[in-house]
Amino acid sequence: ILDAASGALTLGMFDDLLIKVLSKGADVDFICMNGQAINKLRSLNRALGGTDMEQVMINGIQFTQWAGVTILRNDYIPTAAGITTIFAGNFDDGSEKIGLAGLTGANNFGISVESVGISEDKDQEVWRVKFYNSLALFSDLGLAKIANVDIS
């Protein structure tokens, strides 16, 4: 954990964050932050000389990259009074030793959709969507974060 102590986001903080992820040596699979933090990073990058950040196409979706690391947008990461958290990490490679992995139950995997029936108070059919999952971090070296960073 890198604690920015409510300090303003700098490009050096990203360098410090990436070297904290050690589970695959120097390789980092992702940076995860909310849209406001991505906008701040883009602003800092433009201040260097007006260049656009690297882009990569993955499965038909365009992602921004920083230092060759894909940035994942997650607007569920809260920002309060301009203060937020930024994560970086590695995905597990199937060895259950490296990094972050999504887990599903042996019998309850995937997404299931079932009809609940006709709504009693509206002219519509009601459907239930179920998806049971969780995350596991197989190595403490596979995830790092900058906490309390000011992106305002």
Side-chain angles (χ1 to χ4, degrees):
I1 298 175
L2 301 170
D3 191 343
S6 299
L9 180 64
T10 66
L11 297 177
M13 287 181 183
F14 281 93
D15 296 334
D16 293 340
L17 178 64
L18 295 181
I19 64 172
K20 294 289 185 187
V21 180
L22 301 170
S23 63
K24 290 184 180 176
D27 293 337
V28 179
D29 292 336
F30 67 89
I31 298 170
C32 186
M33 59 183 139
N34 64 32
Q36 291 173 290
I38 292 171
N39 287 342
K40 181 65 175 183
L41 176 59
R42 286 184 174 135
S43 174
L44 291 170
N45 190 61
R46 281 191 302 272
L48 292 175
T51 62
D52 287 332
M53 294 178 63
E54 300 172 54
Q55 301 288 316
V56 63
M57 189 75 73
I58 302 173
N59 294 329
I61 301 171
Q62 189 154 339
F63 290 93
T64 301
Q65 289 190 323
W66 175 258
V69 179
T70 301
I71 298 174
L72 304 177
R73 180 177 173 167
N74 181 346
D75 286 329
Y76 289 101
I77 299 173
T79 298
I83 306 298
T84 192
T85 301
I86 298 171
F87 296 91
N90 285 324
F91 295 114
D92 190 64
D93 60 1
S95 67
E96 298 182 359
K97 296 178 182 175
I98 301 293
L100 192 65
L103 303 175
T104 60
N107 297 322
N108 296 325
F109 57 90
I111 297 173
S112 66
V113 180
E114 60 188 44
S115 174
V116 175
I118 303 298
S119 174
E120 291 182 15
D121 59 350
K122 293 183 182 173
D123 187 21
Q124 64 187 19
E125 187 170 0
V126 179
W127 294 83
R128 179 177 295 131
V129 178
K130 296 189 280 187
F131 182 46
Y132 299 102
N133 66 0
S134 61
L135 292 174
L137 180 62
F138 292 111
S139 169
D140 290 344
L141 302 176
L143 191 65
K145 73 176 183 176
I146 304 171
N148 304 312
V149 63
D150 187 351
I151 58 169
S152 58

